[in-house]
Amino acid sequence: MSFTPTQKRILKAFKDLLIENGYRNATTHKIAESAQVNETTIFRNFKDKRGLLQATIDQYLADIDRLKQEQKDTGNLEKDLTAMADKYQKFVFDHQAIFMVGLRESFSLPEVNKDVEKIPIHFKSLLVSYLKKMQEKRLISQDLDIEMLAMNFVWLNFGFFLTQSRFTSSFLNITHEEFLAKNIRSFVKELKY
Amino acid sequence: MSFTPTQKRILKAFKDLLIENGYRNATTHKIAESAQVNETTIFRNFKDKRGLLQATIDQYLADIDRLKQEQKDTGNLEKDLTAMADKYQKFVFDHQAIFMVGLRESFSLPEVNKDVEKIPIHFKSLLVSYLKKMQEKRLISQDLDIEMLAMNFVWLNFGFFLTQSRFTSSFLNITHEEFLAKNIRSFVKELKY
DNA sequence: ACAATGTGCAAGTAATAACTTGCATATTAA
DNA sequence: TTAATATGCAAGTTATTACTTGCACATTGT
């Protein structure tokens, strides 16, 4: 999992092209051009194009494990939920390349799709267990459909992220900070007694 | 805008492949196979591959115009918002092919992306004007951030649709009906006094 | 009955993309 | 200083893909 400077440049170029064109349409020619290396250097370092994808997935999976470790609740709803949403959004942003591939090439690369699916699944279970704990502590209303609220929050974040990343209209887009501040406050309102 | 049975079969096969593989990776060979016609028949009917895309876009644009026409409010918040969400989701579902292409090939086919962007833009402005009207009629709270709530609703629907269409885990997915029933009720709660 | 129209089929073309190979050259490590 | 290692470069291979052409055949309207 440690890479030479050349390998890092190649992987960076590869990821940029994944975001724009997806795996199948990211040509080794363009990767080489963007990384400013000779095309053959790619094959010598990563064996084949699949090797590039595998290296990217390996980085991603290692990072998911790290994400699952850290977790600290304060009991302050707005603060905790903001932190969770922020963490989730930042993670998806950092791994945008593999995330987009998992979405758009879900049919041709089902393994990648399975790996990407792990994010919303983890995010949802994180939310469910957090909300249940808050219910036990009597900090939020007792008659809430927690499963639904958690999914609601996941969909909202997912929808926001994709709108930001795929649409340019300012009519649809706000800043990450504004999203966190306003939308989470409104979500928290739903939870209170 | 009227097509022969052969042309309809070709367009159907094309759209199915757009959903799975996107435009660039939908090969004329596979389209022909799926439509059970000879590959040459495609070119004779639609000139080139771009012609297939254009025909699909034309159908989509005509349908968007139709969507913008129909609009009937009852004043019943839950009913109206459910109808809107339902209409939006059904529309996106019907035009999933072009919708997915606009998302995943936003860099290589920016024109398609622009056309697809029209949906959330229209959906948002529909919601904003509806909520403003309800505010004037004193049917919902006066101190609401309507812009934000409308976008919130758009993101929620968008996130739900993509999760449904791209992820298979039952942990993340519920039925269309359940989504409408539960999530909209919860959204309506936020609006009331 | 016949002419137009649409489709199937076989063959081919030109461009692109993922690799391979062989060799020259530059950098680094003993 | 020398030997290993990494990279650049030029050329080529193989497969795929969008698209073309020419001809045979079948359906349909007059």
Side-chain angles (χ1 to χ4, degrees):
Chain A
M1 281 282 289
S2 68
F3 297 106
T4 68
T6 305
Q7 289 172 332
K8 280 179 189 162
R9 277 213 324 283
I10 294 171
L11 283 175
K12 171 73 168 61
F14 176 59
K15 286 181 204 169
D16 288 345
L17 285 165
L18 284 189
I19 293 173
E20 292 206 5
N21 308 318
Y23 176 72
R24 174 93 190 267
N25 300 328
T27 71
T28 51
H29 181 78
K30 278 185 280 180
I31 298 166
E33 191 182 60
S34 169
Q36 305 207 67
V37 294
N38 193 276
E39 204 176 333
T40 49
T41 305
I42 296 173
F43 296 105
R44 282 192 278 240
N45 277 278
F46 296 93
K47 191 181 176 209
D48 52 22
K49 202 181 155 186
R50 234 2 236 253
L52 282 172
L53 186 63
Q54 199 51 57
T56 310
I57 290 175
D58 289 346
Q59 286 184 323
Y60 162 81
L61 290 177
D63 217 29
I64 264 210
D65 283 339
R66 228 169 298 142
L67 185 82
K68 285 184 179 173
Q69 303 301 320
E70 29 165 307
Q71 169 67 0
K72 40 198 178 277
D73 305 340
T74 68
N76 178 324
L77 276 173
E78 202 163 320
K79 210 170 168 184
D80 288 344
L81 287 168
T82 304
M84 283 186 217
D86 191 40
K87 212 174 74 170
Y88 172 82
Q89 297 254 4
K90 285 222 173 86
F91 183 86
V92 175
F93 183 80
D94 287 344
H95 296 279
Q96 221 182 132
I98 211 69
F99 188 77
M100 290 308 300
V101 168
L103 279 189
R104 50 209 253 189
E105 267 134 316
S106 58
F107 289 85
S108 48
L109 300 170
E111 337 81 65
V112 181
N113 179 264
K114 277 278 152 230
D115 286 335
V116 166
E117 201 175 21
K118 288 176 182 168
I119 309 177
I121 288 181
H122 171 248
F123 189 40
K124 184 195 170 183
S125 49
L126 195 75
L127 286 162
V128 167
S129 69
Y130 177 77
L131 293 176
K132 278 186 178 157
K133 205 195 289 173
M134 292 301 109
Q135 247 181 357
E136 281 167 26
K137 290 186 180 174
R138 313 268 148 186
L139 288 165
I140 58 175
S141 167
Q142 296 303 299
D143 44 84
L144 291 172
D145 187 339
I146 285 188
E147 286 275 321
M148 188 218 79
L149 284 165
M151 268 323 294
N152 207 299
F153 200 63
V154 172
W155 288 323
L156 181 70
N157 275 273
F158 189 41
F160 171 69
F161 180 82
L162 276 168
T163 308
Q164 290 282 109
S165 112
R166 248 48 203 180
F167 295 132
T168 54
S169 164
S170 63
F171 186 62
L172 298 176
N173 287 318
I174 61 174
T175 65
H176 176 72
E177 287 70 29
E178 210 181 341
F179 173 79
L180 289 178
K182 292 188 172 180
N183 287 64
I184 290 169
R185 188 163 311 153
S186 136
F187 182 73
V188 167
K189 263 209 287 185
E190 288 185 67
L191 305 173
K192 298 238 170 97
Y193 279 101
Chain B
M1 280 281 287
S2 68
F3 297 107
T4 66
T6 305
Q7 290 171 332
K8 280 178 190 162
R9 279 214 321 285
I10 293 172
L11 283 174
K12 171 74 168 61
F14 176 60
K15 286 180 204 168
D16 288 345
L17 285 165
L18 284 189
I19 293 172
E20 292 205 4
N21 308 318
Y23 176 72
R24 173 93 190 269
N25 299 327
T27 71
T28 51
H29 181 77
K30 279 186 277 178
I31 298 165
E33 190 182 60
S34 170
Q36 305 207 62
V37 295
N38 193 275
E39 204 176 334
T40 49
T41 303
I42 295 174
F43 297 105
R44 281 193 278 239
N45 277 278
F46 296 94
K47 192 181 176 212
D48 53 21
K49 202 181 156 187
R50 235 2 238 250
L52 282 173
L53 186 63
Q54 199 51 58
T56 310
I57 290 175
D58 289 345
Q59 287 186 323
Y60 161 82
L61 290 177
D63 217 30
I64 264 209
D65 284 338
R66 228 169 298 142
L67 186 82
K68 286 184 179 172
Q69 302 302 322
E70 27 165 310
Q71 169 68 2
K72 39 195 180 279
D73 306 339
T74 70
N76 177 323
L77 277 172
E78 202 164 320
K79 212 169 165 183
D80 288 343
L81 287 167
T82 305
M84 285 184 216
D86 191 40
K87 211 173 73 170
Y88 172 81
Q89 297 254 1
K90 287 222 172 87
F91 183 85
V92 176
F93 184 80
D94 287 344
H95 297 280
Q96 222 183 131
I98 212 70
F99 188 78
M100 291 308 301
V101 168
L103 280 188
R104 52 209 251 187
E105 269 134 314
S106 58
F107 289 87
S108 48
L109 300 170
E111 337 82 67
V112 181
N113 179 265
K114 277 279 153 232
D115 285 335
V116 166
E117 200 175 23
K118 288 175 182 168
I119 309 178
I121 288 181
H122 171 247
F123 190 39
K124 183 194 170 185
S125 50
L126 195 73
L127 286 163
V128 167
S129 69
Y130 177 77
L131 292 175
K132 278 185 179 159
K133 204 195 293 173
M134 293 300 110
Q135 245 181 0
E136 281 167 25
K137 290 187 180 176
R138 312 268 149 187
L139 288 165
I140 57 176
S141 168
Q142 295 303 301
D143 44 81
L144 291 172
D145 187 338
I146 285 189
E147 286 274 322
M148 188 219 80
L149 284 166
M151 267 324 293
N152 207 300
F153 202 63
V154 171
W155 288 322
L156 180 69
N157 275 273
F158 189 42
F160 171 68
F161 180 82
L162 275 168
T163 309
Q164 290 282 107
S165 114
R166 249 47 204 181
F167 294 133
T168 54
S169 164
S170 61
F171 186 63
L172 298 176
N173 287 318
I174 61 174
T175 65
H176 177 72
E177 288 71 30
E178 210 181 341
F179 173 79
L180 290 178
K182 291 187 173 181
N183 287 64
I184 291 171
R185 186 162 314 152
S186 136
F187 182 72
V188 167
K189 263 209 286 185
E190 289 185 66
L191 306 175
K192 297 239 170 96
Y193 279 102

